Amino acid sequence: QSTWVTTKARVSCENVVREAIKSIGYDDAAKGMDYKKCNVIVAIEAQSPDIAQAVHEQKSDEDIGAGGQGIMFGYATDETEEMMPLSHVLATQLGKRLTDVRKEGILKWVRPDGKTQVTVVYKNVNGAMVPQRVHTVLISTQHDDGISLDQVKADLMEHVIKNVIPEKCLTDKTIYHLNPSGRFVIGGPHGDAGLTGRKIIVDTYGGVGRPRRRGFLGQGPLESRPFRRLCRSLGGQIGGGVETRQTGADPALVRHWRCPAALHPRRQLRNRREIGQRNC
């Protein structure tokens, strides 16, 4: 996906790319990519002068606009301190923990590629949807050849799941899918280069918030992110979600909505010190 930036700086794009690949952990062809040997093709063109004159050239900071139009959504909930859905927070933390146990050498067999998903059971309490327990935990992680599936499951449970998910959220009814495909040695871009599906889930706060007409990633600095943050900030202050339609420097429309449960007074976002007390 293309994006744009206007600058006089000179950047070694190849070095930036290789360092990013290295930091992710792809340092051996056996893992799907080697940052030292992979091909890096740099194809950068100047920004369209038609877009430049419309967006920023000879304009004050207040009049700088966007290079296109779009619909941005922001979402906030009082389920967690992060004001994100509990399932989204736990899944993200599991993914981060997978990276930590690999880079810190706790689980030497873990490779860079991996996916996580958490399903949470909710209960309607006087109009507020309150998390009750974790229903399902799914983790698929790339691994060294030769490691047994039993070892993978045991290590993921002991060093990843128990480290992230509060014990009170896990019950004897919780279902675990740990490397359900059985074998995951080939990973990274060598195994599957697709990003769209999982990126959309991240962009919509675990599928809870609304999507928008184009991906968040790869957009210009004056387009998606600032208005998305604005929407989320407003959602955090008044509850529910906020939409903006932007065609230039200012939003053309700002709209607020709440899900049915949010209409109840108890659904109002509480003092952050109280947030999290209801979880599980």
Side-chain angles (χ1 to χ4, degrees):
Q1 186 172 358
S2 63
T3 185
W4 55 265
V5 61
T6 299
T7 179
K8 296 180 180 179
R10 292 188 176 274
V11 179
S12 177
C13 297
E14 180 176 344
N15 288 342
V16 171
V17 170
R18 292 191 188 278
E19 286 300 315
I21 296 172
K22 178 183 178 181
S23 67
I24 293 171
Y26 291 116
D27 54 10
D28 191 309
K31 298 179 181 180
M33 181 184 292
D34 186 343
Y35 76 94
K36 301 184 295 295
K37 300 178 180 179
C38 65
N39 290 330
V40 178
I41 300 175
V42 179
I44 296 179
E45 300 291 341
Q47 180 190 12
S48 164
D50 290 349
I51 294 177
Q53 62 86 28
V55 172
H56 64 88
E57 286 186 346
Q58 298 181 351
K59 293 182 181 294
S60 65
D61 291 345
E62 293 77 13
D63 294 329
I64 291 178
Q69 66 285 329
I71 302 173
M72 273 57 75
F73 293 97
Y75 175 87
T77 174
D78 62 354
E79 294 175 32
T80 62
E81 184 177 353
E82 296 87 349
M83 292 190 176
M84 292 284 195
L86 179 61
S87 55
H88 176 81
V89 170
L90 293 178
T92 301
Q93 291 177 348
L94 288 173
K96 175 62 165 58
R97 180 63 180 170
L98 277 177
T99 299
D100 292 343
V101 298
R102 171 172 57 86
K103 291 189 173 183
E104 295 173 11
I106 298 173
L107 298 179
K108 298 182 182 300
W109 54 263
V110 175
R111 289 183 175 181
D113 201 355
K115 308 176 186 71
T116 63
Q117 180 176 314
V118 176
T119 304
V120 174
V121 174
Y122 288 83
K123 182 179 180 180
N124 189 325
V125 180
N126 297 324
M129 301 306 295
V130 182
Q132 300 296 299
R133 65 180 179 88
V134 170
H135 181 282
T136 304
V137 179
L138 183 147
I139 300 178
S140 291
T141 182
Q142 187 185 10
H143 57 83
D144 288 346
D145 200 1
I147 188 78
S148 69
L149 182 57
D150 288 341
Q151 185 66 50
V152 169
K153 291 181 177 181
D155 285 349
L156 290 179
M157 178 63 72
E158 183 64 28
H159 297 285
V160 179
I161 295 174
K162 291 183 178 180
N163 188 274
V164 169
I165 302 179
E167 185 177 357
K168 64 181 180 179
C169 295
L170 301 174
T171 71
D172 55 1
K173 296 181 180 180
T174 302
I175 301 169
Y176 301 94
H177 297 298
L178 307 180
N179 272 35
S181 64
R183 178 179 171 85
F184 191 178
V185 174
I186 300 174
H190 182 64
D192 186 351
L195 291 174
T196 304
R198 68 193 84 173
K199 184 180 72 62
I200 289 174
I201 291 301
V202 172
D203 288 350
T204 57
Y205 312 98
V208 176
R210 298 188 180 191
R212 54 185 290 278
R213 77 171 183 85
R214 52 184 170 183
F216 292 143
L217 303 182
Q219 296 299 317
L222 298 176
E223 296 185 49
S224 300
R225 290 183 178 87
F227 281 94
R228 180 189 180 196
R229 293 191 185 106
L230 169 64
C231 291
R232 179 165 153 72
S233 176
L234 291 173
Q237 296 176 47
I238 60 180
V242 175
E243 166 195 352
T244 71
R245 295 173 185 257
Q246 175 220 6
T247 56
D250 300 311
L253 174 149
V254 178
R255 184 167 66 92
H256 166 244
W257 81 91
R258 287 177 177 166
C259 61
L263 298 177
H264 192 279
R266 286 193 53 174
R267 188 56 182 165
Q268 300 296 325
L269 289 179
R270 301 166 179 173
N271 187 296
R272 291 180 71 99
R273 290 175 295 183
E274 300 178 10
I275 294 173
Q277 294 180 0
R278 302 184 305 155
N279 291 347
C280 301

